[in-house]
Amino acid sequence: MNTMSDKNTDTNKPIPFITTEPLSRAIGERYLQYALSTIMHRALPDARDGLKPVHRRILFAMRELKLAANSGFRKSAKISGDVMGNYHPHGDAAIYDAMARLAQDFNVRYPLVDGQGNFGNIDGDNPAASRYTEARLTKVAQALMEGLSENAVDFQENYDGTLTEPIVLPASFPNLLANGSSGIAVGMATNIPPHNLEELINACIHLIKAPNARVETLIEYIPGPDFPTGGTIVEPAENILEAYRTGRGSFRLRSKWNEEQLDRGQWQIVVTEIPYQVQKSKLIEKIAELINNKKIPILSDVRDESTEEVRIILEPRTKIIDKTILMETLFKQTELEIRFSLNLNVLIDGRTPKVCSIKEVLNAFLQHQRDVLKRRSQFNLEKIDHRLEVLEGYIVAFLNLDRVIEIIRNEDEPKSIMMIEFDLSDVQAEAILNMRLRSLRRLEEMELRKEHEKLLIERANLEDLLGDEKIQWTQITKQLRETQKTFGKNSQGGKRRTQFEKVTEFEEVPIEAMIEREPITVVCSKMSWIRAMKGHIDLKQDLKFKDGDEHRFIFHAETTDRISIFATNGRFYTLSCSQLPGGRGMGEPLRLMLDIPNDVEIVDIFITRDDRKFLVASSKGDGFIISESETIAQTKNGKQILNVKNDAKAVVCRSIDGDHIACIGENRKMLIFPISELPDMTRGKGVRMQKYKDGGLSDALSFNLALGLTWKDPADRQRTEMNLEDWISKRAASGRMAPRGFPRNNKFD
């Protein structure tokens, strides 16, 4: 019965009202809400204090823990736990990573967190776990929060409504530009480099004096970013101006280096500063890889001798090398030079994302400073009014002290009686009643009146400030100069670290020019193992190969040469002889140096000359003529020249030297036709050279008809056939059986 009753009760409950809407609109609205949340509460900084919510909450939580710059350290785990529990309901790992970054002097120009322990390094090592490190605020961070207790900014409820947190920090300096920021939102991103605080404040003061100042004038005070890791900016001034005017651009930043002389005329390069956010260990690994792969032949070695200061040693191969060419080559191929992008996309008023010019960002900061000044002044004015009221009550109590004591001793409701008898306000009466007995002996009328007069003067000054914009800007200028004095160029770490330099653009030096010219012998086996033996050895000399492998290609070359490889997939590959392994062992597989598929075989290998023409042909009998300059590949993947499909494969690659083409098929039929019938192409299938009923093309070559056709007979003797009329025909003919004595392998050599 009870069950039935419960069921009836549930049935009688009113059914909630159900609404319907299109799926696209429902998803669109929710995605938009998510996007806005990401933009405003995660990815983009506020132009006023330069912070994202997570950083703002970290600093505020540390302030609530009383972790001032002159206090003791607290465990980072405690700090990240408080931030997560009170203000930022996200993972503690993300909070700790954000806090750790604020403590890294190689990432933040003016660190906001003073870390104790391992907070990571410029090599890219991660910070130690939060249970092992400790932290407190820096003086710079405290300057950002100066005035929080004076109603300088609005507060909002935290995520669960139990506490309040500031919407924005008062920020006594332009932190957005001073420390920079980066972030990726939905459909937008931001990337702001750090700048020098001394220069930023000078620009702010100028902007106060001349609100209509142009960006051209401002960059006289802010010539460019100032990265914590130093380096040298080599971007032209006009590009920097355009970047600051539009809010988008980039800066070329390269390492700082110098030449260090050694004994016997030797020298080495010492890199003392590397670009911003470049991991030193990965940079050295990249340089070492280039050395091992012989991509920079003029560089012999790289090593890291860094301690607290960066010291990367670059050893040239010989002392006669031009150090400028060496460094320019490294700048082009490594992160010794980077481009740091500028995208001044910020929340300009705490709500609206906008790509701003540097003037707009500074104006947003200054307007925020004015709001903070007015709010703090109003707060202090109200505080003074309250104190004046209390002081007036104290004076009345002093003049009627005996009567006040009598009322307190004898009356049940002394507060109301004093208010009526002495015409006191509730605040005044309460202050008198809360006064300690020990204060009675110090209650002197002259002291009270002196304090009263002082507060009246202070109150008048605050009223003047609140009523006059000019006085407000004067006060802001004074505060900025005080901040500049504390954290400017004369303070520790306040001097500009990143310098500027005009560089001459060097023409790219070909790798061949960096290689010492030496004779070598290139050897490639049937299984495509290649090596370079020193000197020009006898080409008929017996060489060792791996078991099951044998000789196939051998020719003389020099270390400055390049070699071309033509494969059965119709691709040409290009390789520098300086990159070939030495000849002491068996060499290395070509497939490790080039992206040649395993099922593809090598057709021919030869020295690249750039001034020849080649006949290329497939097993289907299709071919064409191509200039050698068109076959040079720039990547390991090679360059597709002869298109082959299905079971077809490239079989011929011969230099053009003659006026006729001779083709021999697998059916031993030979055809000769004028070379003029073959087209010059840069890529493609080609045209039919010889027709086959069965099989395909075996070999082809060019020759001078007047000199006859030459081949090697089975006895390795050269034979020349002068009477070739029987085999001369139009291109794409079937041909006739080869002359008597032609090799059984159907090859001309």
Side-chain angles (χ1 to χ4, degrees):
M1 291 295 292
N2 290 337
T3 303
M4 291 297 295
S5 177
D6 293 341
K7 286 183 179 179
N8 291 335
T9 304
D10 294 339
T11 304
N12 294 329
K13 286 182 177 179
I15 300 175
F17 182 70
I18 300 175
T19 61
T20 60
E21 60 178 327
L23 181 62
S24 60
R25 188 174 70 185
I27 294 175
E29 288 179 354
R30 286 156 179 79
Y31 183 79
L32 182 60
Q33 290 175 359
Y34 165 74
L36 290 173
S37 174
T38 303
I39 293 168
M40 296 179 59
H41 304 301
R42 187 181 302 176
L44 297 189
D46 195 307
R48 295 170 292 180
D49 62 1
L51 298 173
K52 301 176 185 178
V54 63
H55 302 130
R56 193 177 297 116
R57 288 162 178 167
I58 290 170
L59 299 181
F60 183 67
M62 293 178 73
R63 179 181 182 271
E64 293 298 287
L65 289 169
K66 295 180 172 54
L67 297 178
N70 57 357
S71 69
F73 291 87
R74 292 290 295 272
K75 284 285 187 184
S76 299
K78 165 65 175 174
I79 299 170
S80 59
D82 273 26
V83 175
M84 181 175 61
N86 293 337
Y87 309 109
H88 201 71
H90 299 278
D92 59 337
I95 296 170
Y96 179 56
D97 288 345
M99 187 187 78
R101 188 183 183 279
L102 296 179
Q104 295 171 342
D105 57 2
F106 54 89
N107 260 327
V108 185
R109 181 63 179 85
Y110 301 93
L112 304 179
V113 174
D114 184 11
Q116 184 170 267
N118 178 15
F119 275 85
N121 55 42
I122 200 170
D123 282 326
D125 298 330
N126 294 323
S130 59
R131 61 184 179 273
Y132 299 123
T133 61
E134 298 176 335
R136 64 184 179 186
L137 293 169
T138 62
K139 291 182 179 179
V140 180
Q142 289 181 232
L144 286 177
M145 293 183 285
E146 187 178 344
L148 276 181
S149 57
E150 299 177 0
N151 193 34
V153 293
D154 289 328
F155 280 67
Q156 63 184 5
E157 290 185 347
N158 67 339
Y159 65 93
D160 61 0
T162 58
L163 298 169
T164 59
E165 59 177 322
I167 296 175
V168 65
L169 296 185
S172 59
F173 65 90
N175 180 59
L176 176 70
L177 293 173
N179 278 322
S181 186
S182 64
I184 300 175
V186 179
M188 59 181 63
T190 187
N191 201 46
I192 305 168
H195 294 76
N196 187 271
L197 189 57
E198 175 88 12
E199 297 168 356
L200 291 173
I201 290 179
N202 285 335
C204 287
I205 293 173
H206 177 78
L207 200 55
I208 291 172
K209 296 178 181 177
N212 297 323
R214 299 184 303 165
V215 176
E216 289 85 346
T217 306
L218 293 178
I219 67 167
E220 294 179 5
Y221 298 95
I222 312 173
D226 185 24
F227 298 98
T229 52
T232 303
I233 295 175
V234 295
E235 192 72 25
E238 57 270 21
N239 294 355
I240 297 176
L241 170 61
E242 186 64 19
Y244 283 147
R245 182 190 290 116
T246 61
R248 295 186 186 274
S250 63
F251 307 95
R252 277 179 65 194
L253 178 66
R254 59 173 50 177
S255 304
K256 190 174 289 186
W257 60 277
N258 57 74
E259 180 186 353
E260 192 174 84
Q261 294 295 329
L262 303 175
D263 296 337
R264 299 179 181 179
Q266 301 293 325
W267 55 272
Q268 63 186 16
I269 297 294
V270 181
V271 178
T272 56
E273 296 176 3
I274 61 177
Y276 182 53
Q277 293 181 339
V278 170
Q279 296 183 5
K280 176 161 63 68
S281 59
K282 290 187 177 180
L283 172 64
I284 294 173
E285 288 176 7
K286 175 64 176 178
I287 297 174
E289 182 184 345
L290 292 173
I291 295 173
N292 293 333
N293 294 337
K294 301 180 181 179
K295 293 293 183 67
I296 308 179
I298 57 178
L299 184 63
S300 172
D301 191 21
V302 58
R303 62 180 185 271
D304 187 8
E305 296 183 356
S306 304
T307 53
E308 292 183 356
E309 303 293 331
V310 174
R311 182 178 167 86
I312 301 173
I313 305 299
L314 301 172
E315 290 186 1
R317 190 164 295 278
T318 64
K319 63 182 180 181
I320 61 174
I321 290 171
D322 190 325
K323 60 182 179 292
T324 305
I325 292 177
L326 172 60
M327 292 308 299
E328 288 293 330
T329 304
L330 285 168
F331 288 146
K332 287 184 180 338
Q333 298 193 43
T334 69
E335 287 190 320
L336 284 172
E337 178 180 306
I338 65 168
R339 273 202 172 273
F340 191 92
S341 63
L342 170 71
N343 186 8
L344 265 173
N345 189 10
V346 296
L347 298 174
I348 196 68
D349 55 0
R351 293 180 174 275
T352 308
K354 183 183 178 184
V355 178
C356 306
S357 67
I358 195 169
K359 180 181 177 180
E360 289 177 297
V361 171
L362 292 176
N363 270 328
F365 164 74
L366 290 175
Q367 289 300 325
H368 176 58
Q369 285 301 290
R370 187 185 175 201
D371 293 339
V372 168
L373 177 64
K374 290 166 68 176
R375 291 179 63 120
R376 291 180 69 181
S377 300
Q378 185 62 42
F379 176 84
N380 290 328
L381 185 63
E382 293 172 359
K383 194 174 179 181
I384 289 173
D385 286 341
H386 179 269
R387 181 61 180 171
L388 286 171
E389 186 179 0
V390 171
L391 285 175
E392 289 171 359
Y394 283 165
I395 293 172
V396 172
F398 176 79
L399 296 175
N400 301 278
L401 188 58
D402 294 336
R403 176 57 182 159
V404 169
I405 295 172
E406 183 183 352
I407 293 172
I408 295 172
R409 291 182 62 185
N410 299 324
E411 300 294 336
D412 295 333
E413 298 290 338
K415 181 178 178 180
S416 57
I417 294 175
M418 283 193 297
M419 290 175 64
I420 296 171
E421 185 169 336
F422 301 115
D423 194 22
L424 299 175
S425 66
D426 183 80
V427 173
Q428 292 171 329
E430 192 68 30
I432 293 170
L433 291 173
N434 292 333
M435 188 187 304
R436 295 184 179 184
L437 291 175
R438 69 176 64 179
S439 302
L440 292 175
R441 64 183 181 88
R442 298 178 10 222
L443 201 63
E444 299 180 7
E445 184 181 8
M446 293 300 295
E447 292 294 328
L448 293 173
R449 295 192 181 279
K450 188 176 179 181
E451 184 183 356
H452 188 270
E453 291 174 4
K454 184 179 177 181
L455 289 175
L456 285 175
I457 296 172
E458 189 175 346
R459 186 181 189 282
N461 291 334
L462 288 174
E463 286 184 333
D464 291 341
L465 185 146
L466 289 169
D468 193 330
E469 183 179 346
K470 186 177 180 181
I471 298 177
Q472 294 169 11
W473 288 121
T474 302
Q475 183 64 23
I476 291 171
T477 301
K478 181 181 177 183
Q479 293 174 357
L480 287 173
R481 291 197 183 281
E482 290 175 355
T483 303
Q484 189 181 48
K485 186 178 179 181
T486 307
F487 305 115
K489 63 181 180 180
N490 295 324
S491 65
Q492 185 178 359
K495 292 183 179 179
R496 167 170 275 280
R497 301 177 186 178
T498 304
Q499 305 304 317
F500 297 87
E501 184 180 325
K502 292 183 179 179
V503 296
T504 305
E505 294 294 334
F506 282 79
E507 293 185 7
E508 190 168 354
V509 181
I511 191 169
E512 293 80 3
M514 308 178 190
I515 303 168
E516 190 172 351
R517 189 171 182 175
E518 296 177 348
I520 58 171
T521 302
V522 179
V523 181
C524 185
S525 71
K526 189 175 181 180
M527 296 173 63
S528 302
W529 282 66
I530 196 168
R531 50 184 154 160
M533 307 185 73
K534 288 186 177 181
H536 286 171
I537 66 172
D538 185 0
L539 299 182
K540 295 183 179 181
Q541 176 180 328
D542 289 335
L543 300 172
K544 292 183 178 180
F545 296 92
K546 288 182 173 291
D547 292 342
D549 201 1
E550 61 183 357
H551 160 270
R552 186 173 180 194
F553 302 103
I554 184 169
F555 53 88
H556 292 154
E558 294 177 336
T559 51
T560 54
D561 290 332
R562 291 180 296 176
I563 58 174
S564 294
I565 299 104
F566 185 58
T568 55
N569 59 356
R571 285 184 173 270
F572 275 88
Y573 302 85
T574 306
L575 194 63
S576 174
C577 287
S578 63
Q579 298 176 295
L580 297 178
R584 290 187 177 181
M586 304 296 175
E588 294 179 7
L590 264 175
R591 303 181 200 278
L592 294 180
M593 305 178 198
L594 303 168
D595 293 338
I596 303 176
N598 292 328
D599 59 343
V600 173
E601 298 179 0
I602 306 301
V603 177
D604 199 4
I605 301 178
F606 48 87
I607 299 174
T608 307
R609 301 298 185 198
D610 295 346
D611 57 351
R612 296 176 294 184
K613 288 189 175 183
F614 285 102
L615 165 66
V616 292
S618 70
S619 58
K620 293 294 186 181
D622 301 319
F624 58 88
I625 298 171
I626 185 171
S627 297
E628 187 173 7
S629 59
E630 298 289 342
T631 66
I632 299 175
Q634 303 297 330
T635 64
K636 294 174 62 178
N637 196 39
K639 188 175 183 180
Q640 188 70 51
I641 298 298
L642 180 64
N643 294 339
V644 290
K645 294 182 179 180
N646 301 325
D647 58 342
K649 59 182 181 180
V651 293
V652 174
C653 179
R654 290 183 181 270
S655 62
I656 298 295
D657 184 19
D659 50 19
H660 278 68
I661 300 291
C663 303
I664 184 73
E666 295 173 350
N667 58 4
R668 290 190 60 79
K669 287 187 177 182
M670 189 170 72
L671 174 68
I672 299 174
F673 58 89
I675 199 170
S676 58
E677 296 185 14
L678 272 185
D680 283 61
M681 301 174 61
T682 58
R683 176 178 177 176
K685 177 183 176 182
V687 297
R688 180 57 52 94
M689 296 168 57
Q690 187 176 5
K691 182 180 177 182
Y692 309 103
K693 185 178 288 185
D694 298 311
L697 178 69
S698 179
D699 199 4
L701 84 166
S702 67
F703 71 101
N704 284 314
L705 185 64
L707 300 176
L709 180 62
T710 302
W711 67 82
K712 286 185 178 179
D713 63 14
D716 202 28
R717 296 173 299 186
Q718 280 197 346
R719 177 178 171 180
T720 302
E721 180 68 43
M722 299 298 296
N723 187 12
L724 300 171
E725 293 180 0
D726 291 342
W727 291 275
I728 297 176
S729 183
K730 293 288 186 181
R731 177 182 60 80
S734 298
R736 297 183 64 178
M737 294 299 294
R740 182 175 296 180
F742 194 83
R744 301 304 301 178
N745 63 0
N746 296 328
K747 300 288 184 181
F748 289 104
D749 52 18

